[in-house]
Amino acid sequence: MFFQTIGEIIRDYWPSLLLGIKTTVEVAIVGTVLGFLLGLLIGGIKAIRLDYTASKTARFFKKLYDIIANIYITVLRGTPMMVQALFFYYALLNVFNWDKMTAAMFVISINTSAYMAEIIRSGIQAVDPGQTEAARSLGMSNFQTMMTVVLPQAVRNAFPAIGNELIVNIKDSSVLMIISITELMFQAKSIAGTTFHFTETYFLEAMIYLALNIIATLILNAIEKHLNKRPAATIPMSDTDPSSMKLAAHQGGNK
C-alpha cells in the first residue's frame, strides 16, 4: 500500500511535482552561478597581496576592503538562509518591488557568494607563488597575472568545492519555501496537506532530491574529469637557464 500510494501521488500530482523540480533546479543553478561570479570577485580581490611599491592610499583601501569583505562573509555564513530569505524579502520589498522568485535567487546567490569567496581565496593561495613571480618577471601586470595564470589554476583546484555548492544549493533551496516560492518542498507540503499522506509524500520528495543530487554529481564529475585533462596555464622555468621563462598555456591534447 505504501508504494501504491506513492504511485497514485505521482499519477495525480505530477504537474505540481514537475513544477517544483523545475523551480528547485532553476534556483539552485542560478544561485550557484551568480554566487560563483560574485564570490570570484570578492575572493579574488581579497587574495591580492600588495607589494612594497603600493602607495599608502592603495594600502588603506585594500585594508578597508578586507574589513568589509570579512564582515560580509562572516554575517552571511553565520546566519541561516531561512532568516536571510525572510529578512531580505520583506526589508527590500518596498525598495525593489520584486517577486518572490527574484528574491529567492537573490538570497541564495549572496549566501553562496560568501562560501565561494573563501573557496576561491583558498584556491588562489594554493597556487605556487613562483607562478606569480614568474609572470611578473615577464612584465605582466597584477591583473594579467591573476586572470591568465593564477585564477585558471585556482578555479580548477577548487572545482570540487565549487561543485559541492551546487549540491548544497539543491537541498538548501527547500528553506526558501518560507517565502512561498513553488519549489519542491513547497509543492510536497501542499500535496501532503491535501492528501494527508505525509509519510509517502515526503518519502517521494526525498527520493526526488536524491535523484537530482546524483545527476548533478555525475555531471560535475564529468566536468572535473575533463578539466583534469586540460592543464591550466602555468609558467615553467628552464632548469638550465633560470632567466629564460616563457608562458606555456597548455590546452591539452598533443600541443
Side-chain angles (χ1 to χ4, degrees):
M1 289 295 296
F2 181 81
F3 291 103
Q4 180 181 349
T5 302
I6 291 177
E8 292 173 354
I9 292 173
I10 296 174
R11 181 194 65 198
D12 296 336
Y13 296 96
W14 68 265
S16 297
L17 292 170
L18 194 60
L19 176 61
I21 293 171
K22 176 180 176 296
T23 304
T24 294
V25 172
E26 184 178 352
V27 168
I29 292 177
V30 171
T32 302
V33 172
L34 294 181
F36 168 75
L37 295 176
L38 186 55
L40 190 65
L41 177 64
I42 297 171
I45 297 177
K46 193 168 182 284
I48 293 176
R49 293 292 177 263
L50 300 180
D51 55 28
Y52 67 93
T53 62
S55 64
K56 291 183 178 180
T57 302
R59 292 180 183 278
F60 170 78
F61 282 108
K62 181 60 170 62
K63 184 67 175 178
L64 179 62
Y65 174 85
D66 288 343
I67 293 173
I68 296 173
N70 286 331
I71 293 174
Y72 176 89
I73 292 170
T74 300
V75 171
L76 289 177
R77 293 204 307 174
T79 55
M81 190 189 296
M82 181 180 292
V83 176
Q84 295 170 17
L86 289 169
F87 173 77
F88 285 113
Y89 175 64
Y90 290 108
L92 301 178
L93 182 60
N94 293 329
V95 178
F96 297 115
N97 194 28
W98 54 12
D99 56 41
K100 295 174 181 178
M101 189 66 173
T102 303
M105 289 183 177
F106 172 82
V107 170
I108 200 169
S109 296
I110 62 170
N111 181 273
T112 302
S113 70
Y115 293 92
M116 288 289 190
E118 288 299 283
I119 291 172
I120 296 298
R121 182 187 62 81
S122 299
I124 290 173
Q125 291 180 343
V127 176
D128 185 356
Q131 295 290 309
T132 300
E133 295 171 4
R136 295 303 305 275
S137 298
L138 290 172
M140 299 174 68
S141 65
N142 282 330
F143 180 78
Q144 289 174 322
T145 301
M146 181 64 70
M147 296 302 297
T148 62
V149 178
V150 178
L151 273 183
Q153 296 182 69
V155 171
R156 189 188 64 174
N157 293 338
F159 185 80
I162 294 172
N164 186 61
E165 284 300 307
L166 175 61
I167 304 297
V168 170
N169 283 340
I170 291 176
K171 297 180 293 184
D172 285 358
S173 63
S174 60
V175 304
L176 296 174
M177 66 164 288
I178 197 69
I179 57 174
S180 301
I181 68 166
T182 56
E183 47 74 53
L184 187 56
M185 183 65 191
F186 180 88
Q187 298 290 9
K189 184 178 180 181
S190 299
I191 294 170
T194 301
T195 62
F196 294 100
H197 294 300
F198 295 96
T199 304
E200 295 86 348
T201 301
Y202 290 126
F203 176 82
L204 174 61
E205 179 197 15
M207 292 301 100
I208 294 174
Y209 275 118
L210 179 61
L212 291 176
N213 285 321
I214 289 175
I215 293 171
T217 300
L218 293 174
I219 294 173
L220 291 170
N221 287 343
I223 295 174
E224 183 180 356
K225 186 176 180 181
H226 177 71
L227 289 176
N228 289 335
K229 290 181 180 179
R230 300 172 63 87
T234 59
I235 299 183
M237 291 180 288
S238 171
D239 293 333
T240 58
D241 183 7
S243 64
S244 62
M245 294 178 290
K246 180 175 64 174
L247 180 63
H250 299 287
Q251 299 298 328
N254 296 323
K255 294 185 179 180

